[in-house]
Amino acid sequence: MSELPVVVIGAGPQGLAAAAHLVERAEDVVVVERGRGPAAAVSEWGHVRLFSSWPELTDAAARRVLEPTGWTAPAAGYPTGAEWVSGYLAPLAEVLGERIRYATTVTGVARQGRDKVVDGGRRSQPFVVHTVDADGRESRLLARAVIDASGTWGLPNPAGADGFPALGEAAAAGAISYRIPADVSELAGSHVVVVGAGHSATHAVLRLSELARRAPGTRVTWMLRRGSAANVFGGGAGDELPERAALGSRARKVIDDGVVDLVTGFRVAEFRQEADGLTVIAEDGRVVRGVGRMFALTGFRPDLQMLRELRTDLDPTLEAVAGIASEIDPNIHSCGSVGATGARELVQPERGFFIVGAKSYGRAPTFLALTGFEQVRSVAAHLAGDHEAADRRELRLPDTGVCGGSGDFDDSAGSCCAAPSTLQIGARPVVVG
């Protein structure tokens, strides 16, 4: 199988970085991307400014591949998603050239001639990557190894608190968005609700708070599922990413100023469409009426359908790679940074198959771009046979300054393991980190 390429699924930040590492190691690589251009998912939230700075948003091998073209790595600043694409991801994709196949969706990955049940000769067979292009043409691509860097952007979580859409959620789809809004001007004078406790929700709340300040009659309600706001807005001075800390501080201020109404312990059970807008009903019977638009920003989950014929080892709770689950579980993870992970932790029962990037974290909310760059560096080294490099750890991730997991979900007082004088109002660095 050595003559076959490594197939990378997804031309986002981690997929492109994986390809750069493989190219640098003289490995044949094909990148399959469903979008019509590179980093299609990032482009969809291009209006959002990242809380990671430029030095934390470029991969080392990618920089080395780009530098001969005259490209210079930005030294400072916090780009928007669109600037990340134009200033780094699109130039990297251009260098990778015809190795990337755009407008092509991966529909499945399997072993050639073997479904999931068959043991005999399994490891000696190449992978088969099933694809369909924009014209509906189906193809099969053979690979000696597969790196799934497809992310989680395509599967946002519903507003319903139990993980399924709430009653009436599908019927109310016209009034519910699962993306951070770019332009909120049309919502002036209406009642807007944001559900979620992560940085996507925080971005949306801040954007809407600006509208509320300049457009009288605009009402913004922020619904948290937690019983307390004690782990929601960020780690303050303990956060080693200053822009992430500042985001939380700004959010706290709009609450303190009364610009945004904060409602805790509100777990959405039902939507009803009424004459004055949506009525949102909580599991405990509380009701919020007259909602003109809701932004349900409750995180993402991985699309595992394409992997159904592979033997994978995923954590049953997080749907994350099992080898990293205990390090990233928001129910138990506390005080300090999530550690870097590599090929050793990401290994799957199917030798030569790896899940990297946000998808490797499943439903866990602590993924950063730096994490993914270290993952793909290690995986590429492993696939190239450089096991010493694969086992090295070349990254220390920045502290969040946040303590406590989800153990206080129903606690109205909250909890924290840090000094009591420091307000700890959690951080969830999602796809914009």
Side-chain angles (χ1 to χ4, degrees), residues 62 201 295 348 354:
F295 293 94
Q348 290 290 315
F354 291 91

Side-chain angles (χ1 to χ4, degrees), residues 262-282:
L262 182 67
V263 180
T264 60
F266 197 104
R267 295 154 201 174
V268 178
E270 184 178 356
F271 291 96
R272 293 178 186 170
Q273 299 183 72
E274 305 195 15
D276 62 346
L278 282 182
T279 293
V280 188
I281 304 170

Side-chain angles (χ1 to χ4, degrees), residues 372-432:
F373 295 152
E374 174 66 2
Q375 286 180 341
V376 300
R377 180 205 64 77
S378 175
V379 168
H382 173 84
L383 292 176
D386 187 351
H387 300 297
E388 180 182 353
D391 288 342
R392 282 201 305 268
R393 291 292 175 267
E394 298 184 359
L395 174 66
R396 177 201 171 273
L397 290 170
D399 248 338
T400 64
V402 176
C403 297
S406 298
D408 63 346
F409 191 67
D410 293 300
D411 186 353
S412 61
S415 65
C416 182
C417 56
S421 60
T422 302
L423 179 67
Q424 299 290 343
I425 311 184
R428 294 181 62 188
V430 293
V431 64
V432 295

Side-chain angles (χ1 to χ4, degrees), residues 39-59:
V42 176
S43 296
E44 289 191 30
W45 50 266
H47 55 287
V48 178
R49 190 166 300 281
L50 288 94
F51 54 67
S52 295
S53 65
W54 266 117
E56 296 151 348
L57 293 170
T58 62
D59 170 79

